[in-house]
Amino acid sequence: KWDTKQTSKVPNPIDGSGLSSSSSLVALSTAFFVVVSLLQPPSTNNNGAINNVQKSAAKTLAKMKQGTGKLRAGGHMKVAPGALVEAEAKNNNELVPPPPSQIGVSEKEAATIRADLEKQVRAIKKTGVIMETDEKSLEMTAKLQDATRTLIKLRYGDFGEKNIRVRFDLEFQPTIPDFAEKGKEGTLLIEMAPIRLIPCSVYNFLEIARSWKKGAFHRNAGHVLQAISRSDITDRMPFQEYSKEYPHKKGTLGYAGRPSGPEFYVSIQNNVQAHGPGSQQKHNPYEADCIIGTVIQGMEDGTVDRIHTMPGKEFLGDKKKWVLIRRMHILIPGDGPDGYIEFSKSPMVIPDE
């Protein structure tokens, strides 16, 4: 592991600087084989051998450029394998590169493809057609979902069956009944739903968390705790993505409204009927609120119950009664506490209105 005082020094596989003696020897050996292979005149019998030596040398150099890792400023969290990055975070919003992907398209290209498909899906949505049964709608939403899965893997990492998580740093205000006893701090940990089921909803929330500015729980209803969301994501969902394999059970996170988002809520009871297929309107028996993930820390320890003690019912006009969401942290599977490391975190300073 690199010492924190030396992390800005990037290993040089050519001159050996920044490497151990054994690594330097490997580098010199590799360079020697490359030079010899290039100087040797090709013949009809050894072209293949030369190519193999060159390819082998290139692979060795590539491996030496990987796996250095990074200690995140202030967090001392090891970065995902394969990342070669600067030693110190320039700001609180810096992203940690995800593990290398085998997808044959760049992140920028994938984002462009996805944006074009989203535009087409939104256009279909505006026609009022029942998208859950319309053949063309199903074809286009499936393409959008596939493109979104690709972009998630390129931007955040490909972790197979493991799901990305988002942690909320909460601030309870003095108006909360037990403030004197428990203070202002609190935490919610959300595990995103599997992207094989609802990739668009997950991607949208990851982008909200990645660009989070501020927000707060401001609605204290009998069935949900709803939050204001302020981030770079201002559009609603392109379509009402839903999977019967991931219903609105107690403890799940869903997007508010039709179309859904970017505001969201925590279900504090089973809301399959209230927010599932056919709910809140009579036109479409299949339409449901989009869903995001599940609270995996905060339900059992009383944090959600504590939010529910905000003074007042339904939408609260007095901001001093809200529970603030100070920061969001995106956590990806890796070599860290509970098998996760920090990918990004929003700034400490909450912007003014």
Side-chain angles (χ1 to χ4, degrees), residues 285-301:
Y286 309 101
E287 185 181 270
D289 280 358
C290 299
I291 199 165
I292 300 163
T294 300
V295 179
I296 61 172
Q297 180 183 317
M299 295 295 294
E300 301 298 329
D301 66 10

Side-chain angles (χ1 to χ4, degrees), residues 114-115 118 122 144-145 147-153 155-156 164-166 168 190 192-195 197-213 227 229-241 253-257 259-265 289-293 328 330 344:
R114 187 195 177 279
E118 179 177 315
R122 288 186 183 278
L144 176 59
Q145 288 178 315
T148 302
R149 292 186 189 98
T150 297
L151 183 54
I152 289 174
K153 292 174 182 179
R155 182 165 294 174
Y156 296 97
I164 300 175
R165 296 175 177 177
V166 176
F168 297 1
I190 317 299
M192 300 293 98
I195 62 173
L197 298 178
I198 45 177
C200 296
S201 299
V202 170
Y203 170 77
N204 193 67
F205 198 78
L206 290 175
E207 292 297 284
I208 288 174
R210 188 165 69 99
S211 62
W212 184 256
K213 294 179 173 61
S229 172
R230 296 294 180 264
S231 72
D232 289 349
I233 305 303
T234 57
D235 288 338
R236 296 179 180 272
M237 289 290 292
F239 73 105
Q240 294 304 116
E241 185 180 50
L253 232 69
Y255 288 113
S260 291
E263 276 62 44
F264 58 90
Y265 57 81
D289 280 358
C290 299
I291 199 165
I292 300 163
M328 286 196 182
I330 297 178
S344 73

Side-chain angles (χ1 to χ4, degrees), residues 160-234:
E161 293 300 312
K162 291 185 177 180
N163 302 315
I164 300 175
R165 296 175 177 177
V166 176
R167 187 176 79 239
F168 297 1
D169 290 346
L170 305 178
E171 180 180 334
F172 291 88
Q173 302 194 75
T175 53
I176 210 76
D178 61 359
F179 184 83
E181 176 187 355
K182 296 184 177 180
K184 68 177 184 179
E185 296 182 353
T187 299
L188 291 180
L189 183 61
I190 317 299
E191 182 158 303
M192 300 293 98
I195 62 173
R196 65 180 177 84
L197 298 178
I198 45 177
C200 296
S201 299
V202 170
Y203 170 77
N204 193 67
F205 198 78
L206 290 175
E207 292 297 284
I208 288 174
R210 188 165 69 99
S211 62
W212 184 256
K213 294 179 173 61
K214 61 181 176 180
F217 287 99
H218 72 125
R219 184 188 179 196
N220 190 12
H223 64 304
V224 297
L225 300 171
Q226 187 169 321
I228 292 173
S229 172
R230 296 294 180 264
S231 72
D232 289 349
I233 305 303
T234 57

Side-chain angles (χ1 to χ4, degrees), residues 56-347:
S56 177
K59 287 181 180 178
T60 303
L61 289 173
K63 288 181 179 179
M64 292 172 66
K65 291 179 181 179
Q66 294 181 351
T68 61
K70 166 195 168 185
L71 296 179
R72 188 177 182 90
H76 302 288
M77 306 277 283
K78 190 174 180 181
V79 176
L84 185 62
V85 291
E86 295 181 0
E88 295 182 359
K90 294 181 179 179
N91 55 63
N92 287 332
N93 230 11
E94 182 182 5
L95 301 182
V96 172
S101 172
Q102 303 301 316
I103 300 171
V105 62
S106 71
E107 179 185 337
K108 184 177 180 180
E109 291 168 334
T112 300
I113 293 170
R114 187 195 177 279
D116 180 66
L117 288 168
E118 179 177 315
K119 184 177 180 180
Q120 295 180 57
V121 169
R122 288 186 183 278
I124 295 174
K125 176 70 175 175
K126 287 182 179 180
T127 67
V129 67
I130 296 180
M131 299 182 71
E132 292 81 2
T133 57
D134 177 66
E135 184 175 343
K136 179 64 175 178
S137 299
L138 292 172
E139 176 188 350
M140 292 306 300
T141 54
K143 288 182 178 180
L144 176 59
Q145 288 178 315
D146 285 341
T148 302
R149 292 186 189 98
T150 297
L151 183 54
I152 289 174
K153 292 174 182 179
L154 288 169
R155 182 165 294 174
Y156 296 97
D158 185 356
F159 308 106
E161 293 300 312
K162 291 185 177 180
N163 302 315
I164 300 175
R165 296 175 177 177
V166 176
R167 187 176 79 239
F168 297 1
D169 290 346
L170 305 178
E171 180 180 334
F172 291 88
Q173 302 194 75
T175 53
I176 210 76
D178 61 359
F179 184 83
E181 176 187 355
K182 296 184 177 180
K184 68 177 184 179
E185 296 182 353
T187 299
L188 291 180
L189 183 61
I190 317 299
E191 182 158 303
M192 300 293 98
I195 62 173
R196 65 180 177 84
L197 298 178
I198 45 177
C200 296
S201 299
V202 170
Y203 170 77
N204 193 67
F205 198 78
L206 290 175
E207 292 297 284
I208 288 174
R210 188 165 69 99
S211 62
W212 184 256
K213 294 179 173 61
K214 61 181 176 180
F217 287 99
H218 72 125
R219 184 188 179 196
N220 190 12
H223 64 304
V224 297
L225 300 171
Q226 187 169 321
I228 292 173
S229 172
R230 296 294 180 264
S231 72
D232 289 349
I233 305 303
T234 57
D235 288 338
R236 296 179 180 272
M237 289 290 292
F239 73 105
Q240 294 304 116
E241 185 180 50
Y242 183 78
S243 171
K244 62 182 180 181
E245 295 183 45
Y246 209 95
H248 288 275
K249 293 183 178 180
K250 182 178 180 178
T252 55
L253 232 69
Y255 288 113
R258 304 287 175 87
S260 291
E263 276 62 44
F264 58 90
Y265 57 81
V266 175
S267 286
I268 55 177
Q269 67 177 33
N270 189 320
N271 282 320
V272 173
Q273 297 298 322
H275 296 281
S279 62
Q280 302 186 28
Q281 44 77 50
K282 297 180 180 180
H283 169 67
N284 186 343
Y286 309 101
E287 185 181 270
D289 280 358
C290 299
I291 199 165
I292 300 163
T294 300
V295 179
I296 61 172
Q297 180 183 317
M299 295 295 294
E300 301 298 329
D301 66 10
T303 302
V304 170
D305 288 339
R306 192 181 183 201
I307 299 172
H308 195 33
T309 66
M310 290 185 294
K313 298 297 181 183
E314 287 298 332
F315 293 98
L316 307 178
D318 186 353
K319 295 181 181 181
K320 293 181 180 180
K321 297 179 179 180
W322 298 357
V323 175
L324 308 178
I325 304 173
R326 294 284 311 201
R327 308 180 80 183
M328 286 196 182
H329 307 252
I330 297 178
L331 309 175
I332 59 175
D335 187 16
D338 300 321
Y340 280 80
I341 61 174
E342 187 173 79
F343 176 87
S344 73
K345 57 185 176 183
S346 55

